[in-house]
């Protein structure tokens, strides 16, 4: 009987140990519902360039300038006025507007050969993404009209159109804040001393109208 009692005590202790081990194992496992066990795994979708901006080369800013001149060689003062607008664009301190945002701004040629200025936002280059993170292209062109006064004396109303368009290439997330800060600062600079001086060099270029996508 003593042997049987000892055996029963041993078996009872072994049973308690097994129960304790099983309980500890179940406590360590994360609780999951039956629905969670059968729920499919979700993958994170990265925004593509097409989804990250509203449209290709959207116009962010448009400024119309004018210069009224008396009779003379139209081509001469037209080019001088256009050069004044382009000079303001090329001399504008884009980097100072966004000191935290890495960027470059360099002159380049449009497909039609006309000069423009390209602002490129930069980011750290990776295996998946290049270093370009969108940007803005500033262009300007002549839009001329010829009027005659009642006395028959010719007066030329020279009009210049400046546009700033979004560069979609490389942009994976919208750069609306950077675009807005640059465009608003660009407009403000036209009324400041340096901007006025550069426009005056073009024969008295004045701003007729301004449009940008953040206008209320």
């Amino acid at each position: 009987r003593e042997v049987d009692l000892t055996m029963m005590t041993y078996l009872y202790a072994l049973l308690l140990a097994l129960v304790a081990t099983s309980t500890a194992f179940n406590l360590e496992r994360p609780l999951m519902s039956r629905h969670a066990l059968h729920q499919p795994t979700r993958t994170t979708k990265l925004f593509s360039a097409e989804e990250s901006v509203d449209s290709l080369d959207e116009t962010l800013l448009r400024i119309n300038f004018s210069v009224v001149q008396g009779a003379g060689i139209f081509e001469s003062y037209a080019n001088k006025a256009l050069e004044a607008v382009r000079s303001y664009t090329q001399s504008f301190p884009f980097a100072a507007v966004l000191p935290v945002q890495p960027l470059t701004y360099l002159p380049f040629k449009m497909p039609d050969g006309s000069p423009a200025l390209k602002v490129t936002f930069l980011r750290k280059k990776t295996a998946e993404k290049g270093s370009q993170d969108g940007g803005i292209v500033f262009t300007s062109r002549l839009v001329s009209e010829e009027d005659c006064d009642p006395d028959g004396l010719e007066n030329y109303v020279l009009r210049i159109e400046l546009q700033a368009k979004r560069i979609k290439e490389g942009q994976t997330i919208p750069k609306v804040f950077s675009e807005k800060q640059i465009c608003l600062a660009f407009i403000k600079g036209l009324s400041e001393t340096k901007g006025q001086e550069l426009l005056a060099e073009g024969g008295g270029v004045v701003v007729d109208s301004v449009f940008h996508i953040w206008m209320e």
Side-chain angles (χ1 to χ4, degrees), residues 26 29-39:
N26 288 329
R29 294 178 61 188
L31 296 177
M32 298 181 66
S33 64
R34 180 176 300 177
H35 174 71
L37 287 172
H38 293 281
Q39 190 173 11

Side-chain angles (χ1 to χ4, degrees), residues 10-28:
Y10 172 77
L11 292 175
Y12 182 74
L14 181 61
L15 179 61
L16 289 177
L18 291 173
V19 171
T21 303
S22 176
T23 302
F25 176 78
N26 288 329
L27 287 175
E28 292 176 356

Side-chain angles (χ1 to χ4, degrees), residues 121-182:
F121 301 132
L122 303 176
R123 62 171 170 238
K124 185 177 180 180
K125 187 175 182 180
T126 65
E128 294 79 18
K129 301 176 183 178
S131 59
Q132 181 174 336
D133 194 14
I136 306 173
V137 171
F138 287 82
T139 62
S140 50
R141 66 186 183 95
L142 292 171
V143 182
S144 306
E145 293 179 3
E146 180 179 331
D147 298 327
C148 292
D149 62 25
D151 297 328
L153 299 176
E154 293 184 344
N155 288 313
Y156 295 99
V157 179
L158 173 66
R159 303 190 186 280
I160 300 171
E161 181 186 68
L162 180 143
Q163 289 191 357
K165 291 189 175 184
R166 170 183 291 141
I167 301 174
K168 189 175 179 181
E169 181 183 356
Q171 196 176 107
T172 54
I173 58 175
K175 307 292 290 186
V176 177
F177 175 81
S178 298
E179 294 167 346
K180 180 179 180 181
Q181 296 305 308
I182 284 181

Side-chain angles (χ1 to χ4, degrees), residues 50-107:
E50 289 74 13
E51 295 171 318
S52 63
V53 292
D54 296 329
S55 61
L56 178 64
D57 292 336
E58 179 182 2
T59 299
L60 305 175
L61 170 67
R62 181 184 298 112
I63 304 176
N64 292 313
F65 302 88
S66 66
V67 183
V68 179
Q69 293 280 353
I73 302 176
F74 174 80
E75 184 178 358
S76 176
Y77 72 77
N79 289 335
K80 185 178 180 181
L82 181 58
E83 186 59 32
V85 173
R86 289 174 174 169
S87 178
Y88 170 77
T89 304
Q90 293 171 3
S91 63
F92 187 79
F94 293 97
V97 178
L98 297 170
V100 180
Q101 168 68 58
L103 58 81
T104 61
Y105 50 103
L106 299 169

